[in-house]
Structure formats: C-alpha cells, structure tokens
Amino acid sequence: MKLVRKDIEKDNAGQVTLVPEEPEDMWHTYNLVQVGDSLRASTIRKVQTESSTGSVGSNRVRTTLTLCVEAIDFDSQACQLRVKGTNIQENEYVKMGAYHTIELEPNRQFTLAKKQWDSVVLERIEQACDPAWSADVAAVVMQEGLAHICLVTPSMTLTRAKVEVNIPRKRKGNCSQHDRALERFYEQVVQGIQRHINFDVVKCILVASPGFVREQFCDYMFQQAVKTDNKVLLENRSKFLQVKQSYPRVIKNG
C-alpha cells in the first residue's frame, strides 16, 4: 500500500489518500472503509445524453465522485471492493444525493475521510504501508566488526540497521580487548535482530559472512539466549540459516 497523503487533525478527523498496490492491500482497504465514511475516487458513470434532434442516448463517462458510504462488498476472487453510497459533492454528471457504486481495485488511488480516526485503523494503515510487514525473509550480512540487518520483500531489499564496532587486533599473549569488543559487537547485532525482525512474519533469517564469523556469532547468540531464557530467539532457532559469503555486500534500498 502506498500512502500518498495524510491529513489528520488534532481531534482525529481528517483524510488519507492511498493507492493499493498488492492484492492483500484490497483486504486492508476493506477493513479501513466503514459506513458513514466519505470516499472519493475515479469511477465510471452511465449518463443520458440528448442530441440536437431530440434523440436520447447514453454514454459511459469517467468522473471523480465523493460518496457517503452506505454499503461495502469485497470480492476476494476478483480482488475488488465495491463501495455504494450517495454523492455528496457537486458533479456535472451526478446529482447530489444520487446513488452510485465505486469499484476500488489495485493501483487505483482513493481518498478516505473519517470524522474520527481511531488508533487501530491508523495502525493498520501504518502496517499496510510499511514493506517490512510483507518481508518473510531477513538477512544478517556480517564480517568482524560490521553487520547489516536487512529485510527482503518481493520487490526490494531494505537495510533496517547497521552495526559497526571497532575490533582491536589480537595481541600476542593478550586477547582480552579483542574479545570484549567482539562480544560487544555480537550483543549489538542480537539487539538489532530482536528490534528489526518480526518473527511472526519472517520465516527465514540468513546469516552470511566470510570465514567463521557467522558460526561464532550464532554460537554466542544462542548461548546467551539459553542463559537469559530468551524464548523468542530459542523458539525461532530453526529459522536461522548460516551462509558462507566471501565478500559481504548489501543491496541498496530499492
């Protein structure tokens, strides 16, 4: 779902302009539109015409109408939403108060106005417009001291976090500084994973690195999860898949 414009006042009245982009967005739209709302969108209207000779005919014209919503019907097979209501704005083809049905479908912009937007509806819009909610694959691309946490959607790869910690070199006979820095790095990556990956949506988390970084990191993460009884990580352990990568790269957003 694409959010084109959002105008919500302090009293929670206002309107949003949206463009459904995926079939699932039509389900979100169905749950957004309620009886009593105002819906504005492009539509087709059959209008009568009279020629100079007095003969009457009819034409189908495209126009933009604003309806006060009275009924909503969702066709999941056709992925189409039919919204019936009365016209509430002046229009050259449709009288005020006349009934009409607007058909909403993917890639057709509409504006929805409500006298009162509640937090649940606004949260649904936020989720529908956030690509992260459709990302069922995540990736942690890392090397020692540097990691990128990404979400992979059907259309793009999103970098949600970058973790960078300076790791001192190991010194002969003294590795304590190196080990402490490495542990701090691993801990920050774990925090990033928990903050940016929705385990209810994501089905697979790829952990990619050169050498043995990914193995050492995963060992650390799950050892700490056992110590702290981190149920989220432990219950989703099977979703983590280690991948060897010689040259870590992160695809730019888009």
Side-chain angles (χ1 to χ4, degrees):
M1 186 87 80
K2 180 181 179 182
L3 177 63
V4 178
R5 187 179 177 87
K6 180 180 176 183
D7 296 305
I8 308 294
E9 303 296 333
K10 290 182 179 179
D11 61 357
N12 287 331
Q15 62 184 33
V16 295
T17 300
L18 299 163
V19 180
E21 295 178 314
E22 305 288 342
E24 186 180 352
D25 292 339
M26 297 310 301
W27 173 249
H28 287 300
T29 303
Y30 172 62
N31 284 281
L32 291 175
V33 181
Q34 297 173 321
V35 172
D37 291 348
S38 152
L39 178 74
R40 182 174 177 81
S42 175
T43 185
I44 299 292
R45 178 77 173 186
K46 188 176 181 180
V47 296
Q48 284 192 336
T49 57
E50 185 175 345
S51 70
S52 57
T53 60
S55 61
V56 177
S58 63
N59 286 323
R60 290 166 61 85
V61 297
R62 179 165 292 281
T63 186
T64 299
L65 291 179
T66 304
L67 304 182
C68 178
V69 178
E70 292 191 7
I72 308 126
D73 177 54
F74 180 52
D75 185 342
S76 58
Q77 297 299 316
C79 205
Q80 193 175 68
L81 190 67
R82 298 184 184 91
V83 183
K84 181 181 179 182
T86 53
N87 181 37
I88 57 173
Q89 277 194 5
E90 292 287 346
N91 184 279
E92 63 177 306
Y93 301 112
V94 185
K95 294 179 181 179
M96 292 281 287
Y99 277 94
H100 185 78
T101 298
I102 291 177
E103 294 183 346
L104 297 178
E105 56 191 24
N107 299 308
R108 182 165 294 177
Q109 180 175 298
F110 67 90
T111 298
L112 182 66
K114 292 178 181 285
K115 294 176 182 177
Q116 182 78 27
W117 288 88
D118 63 44
S119 58
V120 175
V121 176
L122 291 173
E123 186 178 351
R124 176 178 283 276
I125 291 175
E126 186 177 334
Q127 292 178 6
C129 295
D130 183 357
W133 283 87
S134 64
D136 59 1
V137 176
V140 182
V141 185
M142 63 194 312
Q143 61 190 56
E144 198 168 273
L146 177 65
H148 290 85
I149 299 169
C150 309
L151 295 175
V152 183
T153 76
S155 58
M156 69 183 80
T157 299
L158 303 164
T159 302
R160 305 301 278 186
K162 177 182 178 182
V163 179
E164 194 167 10
V165 174
N166 183 40
I167 310 293
R169 290 183 179 181
K170 289 183 179 180
R171 293 183 179 180
K172 192 173 183 180
N174 183 8
C175 298
S176 59
Q177 282 188 324
H178 173 274
D179 293 345
R180 281 198 300 270
L182 197 57
E183 185 173 328
R184 189 166 68 252
F185 168 62
Y186 288 161
E187 179 58 32
Q188 289 183 24
V189 176
V190 172
Q191 290 175 5
I193 287 172
Q194 294 183 103
R195 186 178 302 115
H196 296 287
I197 294 177
N198 184 347
F199 288 97
D200 293 332
V201 177
V202 171
K203 299 174 183 175
C204 176
I205 302 107
L206 304 174
V207 184
S209 79
F212 299 101
V213 176
R214 63 192 178 281
E215 296 173 5
Q216 293 166 356
F217 166 70
C218 288
D219 287 345
Y220 170 87
M221 177 169 58
F222 291 115
Q223 285 170 9
Q224 291 300 310
V226 171
K227 285 181 183 179
T228 59
D229 193 26
N230 189 321
K231 290 184 172 58
V232 173
L233 288 177
L234 294 174
E235 289 172 0
N236 289 279
R237 185 170 188 164
S238 62
K239 294 182 180 180
F240 286 84
L241 178 65
Q242 296 182 31
V243 180
K244 183 176 181 180
Q245 187 176 7
S246 300
Y247 302 98
R249 291 185 302 170
V250 176
I251 302 172
K252 292 183 180 179
N253 290 358

